[in-house]
Amino acid sequence: MKKDESNEISVFQKYLTIWVIICMFVGVLIGKFIPQIPEFLNKFEYARISIPMAILIWLMIYPMMMKVDFRSIKNIGKNPKGLFVTWVVNWLIKPFTMYGISSLFFFMIFKAFITPDLATEYLAGAVLLGAAPCTAMVFVWSSLTNGNPAYTVVQVATNDLIILIAFVPIIKFLLGVSNVVVPLTTLFLSVVLFVVIPLLLGVFTRITVIKSKGADYFENTFIHKFDRITMIGLLLTLILIFSFQGNMILENPLHIVLIAVPLVLQTFIIFAIAYIACRLLKLPHNISAPAGMIGASNFFELAIAVAVALFGTSSPASLATTVGVLTEVPVMLFLVKIANNTKGWFKNE
């Protein structure tokens, strides 16, 4: 997959936290002063899945799926150690450490501030984030650390395939342990709607456009036509979620900070595990940095979609997933700086 050689993060991506904060204020104001809007939109749902939210989430996820070139998977055998690190950290470590860290904070350290019922739903939102490793933004983090773009594509492509198999059973297991009732039909429907269908459409679009206009046109022109659509979809999704969360946020503004603490801590821990593992395996920096970034960041679009489908747009679980968006960019930019400053720890590419 060809990436922008400028290694520059876009204005929207760089200031994503600011846009999220603005969306939070706009959404809360709508929920407080124009509650008729979220009440009206809440009427349109099927199998507990909000149709307006589904449309907006598709606007986010479909362009991301087009960016993944699954033909790169044939290169797995050339240097599999970095992929093993990615797979083990993302699927055998991250969901379970997210569960453990979030449980520790929500049920013990913060128990004076969070009721058990709220803690359970916040934990559910955190688990959804932990079981959804990054798909799209990792290309940005990889670029900013001068990562190997072809290898990053393989890491992301194989992650997307694993999501199809592992996401549902991991979520079902961890939320079952948390005594959260998860409608399995809704969970499977969410994965089909928000992963399988966009993935198939993305692959079909990619193949069709490249066959018609060529890879250069697809990578440098066609895919960028969707950048603004993705941005609008994300911002409108956040405004809608925060409009449903308005009263809860106004009554418990401290909870935004309380939710953020374990999410940020988990991000640093997972990055350290993957990054140090790559160093011990003597992998080059341009593979090690993206490996750490994929595990540390989240596919928050999927987490939001499933949280809304399982628990509703006004649920504490949905709020927890949106806090993940709020914290991700500044933390990841800090990790990018760490990765760039420690490049000397690794062997030359």
Side-chain angles (χ1 to χ4, degrees):
M1 181 176 182
K2 187 176 179 179
K3 295 300 295 175
D4 183 1
E5 295 299 326
S6 64
N7 290 342
E8 289 293 332
I9 190 169
S10 73
V11 172
F12 170 67
Q13 293 163 334
K14 185 174 183 179
Y15 298 106
L16 179 58
T17 299
I18 295 175
W19 307 138
V20 174
I21 292 173
I22 293 172
C23 289
M24 181 174 69
F25 280 109
V26 172
V28 169
L29 290 175
I30 291 174
K32 178 68 176 177
F33 298 106
I34 321 176
Q36 297 86 353
I37 293 178
E39 289 172 4
F40 174 74
L41 293 174
N42 222 7
K43 296 178 181 179
F44 301 95
E45 67 174 40
Y46 176 77
R48 296 184 61 179
I49 294 177
S50 168
I51 295 174
M53 284 291 297
I55 293 171
L56 292 175
I57 289 169
W58 263 49
L59 292 179
M60 290 188 289
I61 295 179
Y62 168 59
M64 296 174 187
M65 295 304 191
M66 285 193 291
K67 295 180 180 180
V68 180
D69 183 2
F70 285 96
R71 293 176 302 175
S72 62
I73 294 175
K74 66 180 182 290
N75 298 319
I76 286 177
K78 294 181 179 178
N79 192 354
K81 289 191 291 185
L83 293 172
F84 291 146
V85 170
T86 299
W87 299 338
V88 169
V89 170
N90 287 352
W91 298 105
L92 299 180
I93 297 177
K94 182 181 179 182
F96 305 97
T97 55
M98 178 69 91
Y99 177 87
I101 293 169
S102 299
S103 296
L104 174 65
F105 278 91
F106 294 149
F107 288 100
M108 297 180 67
I109 297 176
F110 294 154
K111 67 179 180 180
F113 307 98
I114 302 176
T115 65
D117 288 342
L118 273 180
T120 299
E121 286 222 28
Y122 289 160
L123 175 61
V127 166
L128 289 172
L129 285 168
C134 189
T135 292
M137 285 292 285
V138 72
F139 289 120
V140 175
W141 314 133
S142 176
S143 177
L144 291 175
T145 56
N146 292 313
N148 182 323
Y151 202 91
T152 301
V153 169
V154 178
Q155 290 170 307
V156 171
T158 53
N159 248 344
D160 283 347
L161 293 177
I162 294 172
I163 283 176
L164 299 177
I165 302 169
F167 183 78
V168 170
I170 287 175
I171 291 300
K172 182 67 177 175
F173 171 74
L174 290 177
L175 295 189
V177 171
S178 310
N179 296 319
V180 176
V181 178
V182 180
L184 201 56
T185 303
T186 303
L187 186 53
F188 273 113
L189 181 60
S190 300
V191 174
V192 170
L193 281 177
F194 303 124
V195 179
V196 177
I197 294 177
L199 189 62
L200 293 176
L201 287 176
V203 171
F204 175 77
T205 304
R206 183 183 184 92
I207 293 173
T208 303
V209 174
I210 290 178
K211 185 176 180 180
S212 174
K213 298 290 187 70
D216 185 69
Y217 170 81
F218 178 85
E219 299 286 358
N220 298 310
T221 303
F222 182 82
I223 197 68
H224 295 295
K225 295 178 183 290
F226 294 86
D227 290 347
R228 187 167 295 180
I229 295 175
T230 301
M231 177 184 72
I232 292 171
L234 174 59
L235 297 183
L236 290 178
T237 299
L238 295 177
I239 289 174
L240 190 58
I241 289 177
F242 282 119
S243 72
F244 287 112
Q245 299 283 352
N247 290 331
M248 181 179 294
I249 292 172
L250 291 174
E251 292 170 3
N252 304 287
L254 177 63
H255 285 207
I256 301 292
V257 177
L258 299 182
I259 294 169
V261 171
L263 298 185
V264 171
L265 180 60
Q266 158 81 357
T267 301
F268 279 100
I269 290 174
I270 290 300
F271 173 80
I273 291 172
Y275 198 57
I276 293 172
C278 287
R279 183 173 186 270
L280 294 176
L281 291 170
K282 303 186 185 314
L283 290 169
H285 184 265
N286 66 358
I287 290 176
S288 303
M293 300 295 171
I294 291 175
S297 54
N298 304 303
F299 190 176
F300 52 75
E301 296 85 358
L302 174 62
I304 290 172
V306 177
V308 169
L310 291 177
F311 304 102
T313 49
S314 58
S315 66
S318 297
L319 176 62
T321 58
T322 56
V323 173
V325 187
L326 186 68
T327 59
E328 176 154 324
V329 172
V331 174
M332 293 305 299
L333 287 174
F334 185 74
L335 292 178
V336 164
K337 186 174 183 180
I338 291 176
N340 287 335
N341 288 340
T342 56
K343 190 172 183 177
W345 292 1
F346 298 82
K347 71 176 185 178
N348 294 327
E349 287 78 18

